[in-house]
Amino acid sequence: MNRQGSGKQSVFSDREFNHKLFTLALPMSLQSLMLSAVAACDAIMLGRLDQNSMSAVSLAGQIQFIQNIFLWAATGAASVLGAQYWGKGDRKAMDDIFGICIRITMVISFLFWAGCLFIPENLMMIYTNEPELIRIGATYLRITGWSYLLTGISETYLTLLKVTDHVTMGAVISSSAVVFNIFFNAIFIFGLLGLPAMGVRGAAAATLLSRIIQVIWAIGITFRQGYLGISFHGLFSHNKLIFRDFFKCGVPILCSGALWGIGFSSYTAILGHLGTDAAAANSVSSVIRDLFCCLCNGIASGGGILIGNELGAGKTEKGRDYGHRLSVIAVYIGILTCLLVLAVTPLVLWFYVLTPEAEHLLTQMMIILAVYMIGRCVNTIVINGIFYAGGDIMFDAYSLAVTMWGVAIPVALLGAFVFHWPVPVVFACTCLDEVGKIPWVYAHYHKYKWVKDLTHGRDAQEQS
């Protein structure tokens, strides 16, 4: 095997790898797209009504963004360990892993529900000082916050489907939830089928209804033959060895997720305090960014499962070869995404109802975003796909602490509130981290610290 092959021929010549990656990455990209669309379609459809409603809902969506960071730590740990134990063929360990996962995600969901229900205005004031945006956003959070109670459960079951070779069904469920969300949005926001137009309240109600459908479907499908569910025993069992490994994976993912998520949320807060036009333009660019990240998210998740399966089965050389192929594909995906963002910019400008100033700002932001997407795609696939597959997670936290918190956030804060730079320049400062750390990411990749088998034998688990 040409483990260190280079060039297009060697990277794309393994038909088995290409087939497996395509089979996993395509539905996972669709699932990521649908997950982003659930959060984004409210803002997109409200953008056809008025700018303030769109901006307020986009800012309110940052609360779920923060929730997803904590959920990502739990489901990410379950995915890393689950992929390796699934490759090893240990079904009992899978039960323990996802039992731990759902207990944690339910606690997280309850806390965010309580915040949205009782202190929504305080949460909105984190992201804007505009009274009208705070009022609209708080109205939205009081209703959609009920869906946050269900998010942890649905994401746990979708992760379980992903790592147990039912990724297509997970994509179908997520996609259907978005279709329902859009359908309910159209009815409730614009007042179709004889109902009154509800605006922001309608968008929140649509999100809640679609989430209810999603969680019922995700749980129900696991009772079918050939599917692995979360047993009653798994909900209450305590395997010390699995629990320790879960937190060894989950805590670094949470650290990196918190650094990235709070940092990203800080970008939104900085631009949200530069006026309603800046907030509106940034809201639209965020929607586009999240939608175009879906391809690299799917490839990272699919590639990570492939690598994790091989490492868990003891095939470290094959896992290393898969990592090499994925690292080269990451560059191609970054360039492709850059070009696609530039291509859709005229369509985005036509679709949204913005003031002339907000439209001018958005045009400049989209050009900057296109360059940013190269770094974002490369780093997502290599870090969240390759490194995470072998449990090499702390590098993510280190790189975020240096590039985001040490460079991008301080420079953006200074530019916005001390030097009073133009909005597009401040926006560019928030994009410095992803582009700047590409050389560091590839230097770490070639140390091969990510080539590790994280599994334990059944005897060791029982003795724990």
Side-chain angles (χ1 to χ4, degrees):
M1 179 182 295
N2 184 13
R3 188 184 67 197
Q4 298 298 328
S6 59
K8 183 175 180 180
Q9 178 64 28
S10 62
V11 171
F12 295 101
S13 61
D14 189 333
R15 293 184 179 181
E16 179 188 13
F17 173 79
N18 294 338
H19 175 72
K20 287 181 178 179
L21 181 62
F22 179 81
T23 302
L24 283 171
L26 184 61
M28 285 186 183
S29 296
L30 180 61
Q31 185 173 334
S32 179
L33 174 64
M34 294 301 101
L35 181 61
S36 297
V38 167
C41 70
D42 292 342
I44 291 174
M45 298 186 77
L46 287 168
R48 301 300 296 174
L49 289 180
D50 67 270
Q51 182 171 300
N52 282 345
S53 293
M54 180 201 68
S55 299
V57 170
S58 180
L59 293 172
Q62 293 296 307
I63 305 305
Q64 186 163 32
F65 176 70
I66 297 298
Q67 181 194 24
N68 286 339
I69 292 169
F70 290 93
L71 296 178
W72 182 43
T75 58
S79 181
V80 170
L81 292 174
Q84 293 214 6
Y85 276 105
W86 186 253
K88 192 181 184 71
D90 191 336
R91 304 300 184 264
K92 174 62 172 61
M94 295 288 289
D95 206 27
D96 293 331
I97 290 167
F98 282 92
I100 295 169
C101 183
I102 200 165
R103 292 199 299 269
I104 295 172
T105 57
M106 289 176 70
V107 171
I108 294 168
S109 297
F110 175 82
L111 294 175
F112 277 84
W113 163 80
C116 291
L117 194 65
F118 297 111
I119 54 169
E121 290 87 359
N122 301 78
L123 296 177
M124 285 299 299
M125 284 190 286
I126 298 172
Y127 301 103
T128 182
N129 54 2
E130 298 288 339
E132 182 64 8
L133 298 185
I134 292 172
R135 183 191 65 80
I136 296 171
T139 299
Y140 178 83
L141 286 175
R142 283 194 179 94
I143 300 172
T144 198
W146 288 93
S147 71
Y148 297 176
L149 275 175
L150 306 175
T151 305
I153 299 172
S154 63
E155 291 307 305
T156 299
Y157 273 87
L158 290 173
T159 301
L160 178 61
L161 291 172
K162 178 177 72 175
V163 299
T164 55
D165 300 329
H166 294 294
V167 63
T168 300
M169 179 52 67
V172 168
I173 294 171
S174 297
S175 303
S176 299
V178 173
V179 172
F180 282 118
N181 198 359
I182 294 172
F183 175 73
F184 292 139
N185 265 346
I187 293 174
F188 297 147
I189 292 175
F190 302 111
L192 304 181
L193 300 181
L195 295 177
M198 298 171 63
V200 167
R201 289 184 176 87
T207 300
L208 175 57
L209 285 175
S210 63
R211 184 69 72 183
I212 291 172
I213 294 171
Q214 183 185 55
V215 75
I216 292 173
W217 194 351
I219 294 174
I221 198 70
T222 61
F223 289 96
R224 290 177 54 180
Q225 186 175 2
Y227 285 80
L228 182 67
I230 300 174
S231 70
F232 184 81
H233 169 76
L235 286 174
F236 297 98
S237 65
H238 183 70
N239 185 318
K240 292 182 180 178
L241 194 58
I242 296 292
F243 190 79
R244 185 195 70 187
D245 287 346
F246 193 97
F247 272 82
K248 282 177 66 177
C249 289
V251 170
I253 293 176
L254 178 59
C255 290
S256 60
L259 287 170
W260 181 78
I262 296 173
F264 228 94
S265 196
S266 299
Y267 296 157
T268 302
I270 291 169
L271 290 159
H273 283 81
L274 296 182
T276 55
D277 288 325
N282 184 57
S283 296
V284 175
S285 70
S286 296
V287 170
I288 303 304
R289 179 201 65 219
D290 292 344
L291 292 176
F292 275 95
C293 281
C294 295
L295 179 59
C296 66
N297 290 342
I299 292 174
S301 297
I305 288 176
L306 287 180
I307 295 169
N309 287 165
E310 300 302 332
L311 296 178
K315 302 175 182 178
T316 55
E317 286 300 308
K318 194 169 185 179
R320 181 166 165 158
D321 177 67
Y322 281 5
H324 166 69
R325 296 175 186 280
L326 204 61
S327 70
V328 178
I329 290 172
V331 178
Y332 285 92
I333 296 299
I335 295 172
L336 173 63
T337 307
C338 169
L339 297 175
L340 289 174
V341 170
L342 293 174
V344 302
T345 297
L347 178 62
V348 172
L349 294 170
W350 167 82
F351 181 83
Y352 281 93
V353 179
L354 302 172
T355 65
E357 177 61 22
E359 187 172 306
H360 178 66
L361 292 175
L362 178 59
T363 302
Q364 298 174 77
M365 286 181 174
M366 290 292 287
I367 296 171
I368 296 167
L369 180 66
V371 177
Y372 161 87
M373 289 303 299
I374 298 175
R376 176 65 179 272
C377 290
V378 168
N379 295 328
T380 296
I381 293 172
V382 176
I383 296 175
N384 301 133
I386 299 172
F387 294 172
Y388 276 34
D392 184 10
I393 300 168
M394 281 308 297
F395 172 82
D396 193 12
Y398 297 148
S399 65
L400 287 165
V402 173
T403 59
M404 176 178 274
W405 288 89
V407 178
I409 290 176
V411 174
L413 284 169
L414 290 171
F417 304 117
V418 178
F419 301 114
H420 304 291
W421 289 338
V423 171
V425 177
V426 176
F427 180 78
C429 293
T430 66
C431 299
L432 290 173
D433 54 328
E434 295 289 358
V435 177
K437 70 182 179 185
I438 292 177
W440 189 10
V441 167
Y442 275 102
H444 184 79
Y445 163 81
H446 287 294
K447 294 179 182 178
Y448 296 108
K449 293 182 178 180
W450 52 271
V451 185
K452 289 183 291 186
D453 180 354
L454 305 175
T455 64
H456 302 284
R458 173 53 46 192
D459 291 341
Q461 293 181 49
E462 292 175 350
Q463 290 173 8
S464 68

